[in-house]
Amino acid sequence: MPSNTNRNTMTLTFGVEIEYSIKSQEHDALAAKHGFAARHDASVTADDGAGNGYEMVTPVLKATVTGGAVRGEIAFDESVIADLCGVAARVNKTCGLHVHVGNPSEAASGRSVWSGEQVRAWLISAKHLEQSLFGMCPASRSNNSHAKAIGDVFNESHFASMEHPAHPASPSKYNNPKRYCWLNIVETIRSGASDIPFNQISARGSARGLGTIENRMLGNARQPVFIIPWVRFFLRWAAIIKEFDPVYAISGITHGNWLGQSLSELKAARDYISSPAARAVSPAAP
């Protein structure tokens, strides 16, 4: 494993979208506090089966990684994620929770840029981790049409070709079937008609791609103790892809157990929210 001697600080960007069926009493105040953007979401079914639920989206957030991607310290404002969770009074099996991670580029004025080789490293390492990760999620996320398994969307040619795995990509995000893989890589290549802020992207499918990698695997969850470790895990994964040569990053993740500690944290979070103690604190969990 690489040593923890690199003290340089790496910056990543990220954003989180939470879908929910019932608003909390603090919903509007928390949205105003952080500049969250809310909208009705047709993919979410209200608990009574009539009408749609909601989606709340953060602005672009920043995380720093100090001391190297594998074992360095990852820092971000966890209270923002906790407050995002706080807008939801209840979630159900139709509710997703999506985490975007960006690689900000000075050449692109701070927008996220993942190269085709880095995207392929994401995809190959994700295929290796997929079964374990689905095991950490609520059962409703398995066989979900909005978070399909990699093998249902990509084939061996996408792993081996020098072409971007999501090529060709329609300018409209909703016209890209590959975006419904749980690891959505379409945003790294999709062009669009205009630039809009991250926290408005869900309402404008024709806007320019965010340049981010999106994890669509999560859902039916609203507890910060469960969601924050997932954000941290995805940031650690992104840091490894960013810091190392793609071939070395793939090897470290698939054979070097570089994400082993983070996976243990996900398991601990899963076990906690399933425990009687968690249910006593939040009866409407997950």
Side-chain angles (χ1 to χ4, degrees), residues 16-116:
V16 183
E17 311 167 32
I18 187 170
E19 297 170 357
Y20 45 101
S21 54
I22 299 177
K23 298 178 181 180
S24 70
Q25 293 183 342
E26 300 81 17
H27 180 277
D28 293 350
L30 291 174
K33 176 182 177 182
H34 295 290
F36 297 155
R39 72 181 184 101
H40 286 279
D41 192 320
S43 70
V44 177
T45 303
D47 281 4
D48 61 5
N52 303 133
Y54 310 91
E55 178 183 60
M56 189 74 82
V57 185
T58 70
V60 177
L61 305 173
K62 289 187 178 181
T64 58
V65 183
T66 306
V70 179
R71 293 189 293 176
E73 178 183 355
I74 297 177
F76 59 93
D77 190 345
E78 296 183 4
S79 69
V80 177
I81 308 304
D83 283 350
L84 181 72
C85 297
V87 308
R90 185 177 290 275
V91 295
N92 60 40
K93 66 181 181 180
T94 68
C95 300
L97 190 139
H98 306 156
V99 182
H100 291 257
V101 176
N103 179 19
S105 168
E106 291 184 7
S109 302
R111 291 185 68 88
S112 173
V113 177
W114 294 103
S115 71

Side-chain angles (χ1 to χ4, degrees), residues 149-160:
I150 290 171
D152 292 337
V153 179
F154 297 94
N155 57 47
E156 290 302 319
S157 67
H158 295 114
F159 296 100

Side-chain angles (χ1 to χ4, degrees), residues 4-11 64-69 72-73 243:
N4 192 23
T5 57
N6 178 7
R7 304 310 301 175
N8 293 330
T9 298
M10 176 193 302
T11 300
T64 58
V65 183
T66 306
E73 178 183 355
E243 181 172 315

Side-chain angles (χ1 to χ4, degrees), residues 105-161:
S105 168
E106 291 184 7
S109 302
R111 291 185 68 88
S112 173
V113 177
W114 294 103
S115 71
E117 289 186 350
Q118 288 175 321
V119 171
R120 191 172 294 103
W122 273 105
L123 194 62
I124 293 171
S125 55
K127 187 69 169 66
H128 174 80
L129 296 168
E130 182 175 72
Q131 186 173 357
S132 295
L133 294 180
F134 269 119
M136 308 285 187
C137 294
S140 62
R141 303 312 292 170
S142 298
N143 301 314
N144 189 294
S145 62
H146 294 277
K148 295 179 181 179
I150 290 171
D152 292 337
V153 179
F154 297 94
N155 57 47
E156 290 302 319
S157 67
H158 295 114
F159 296 100
S161 173

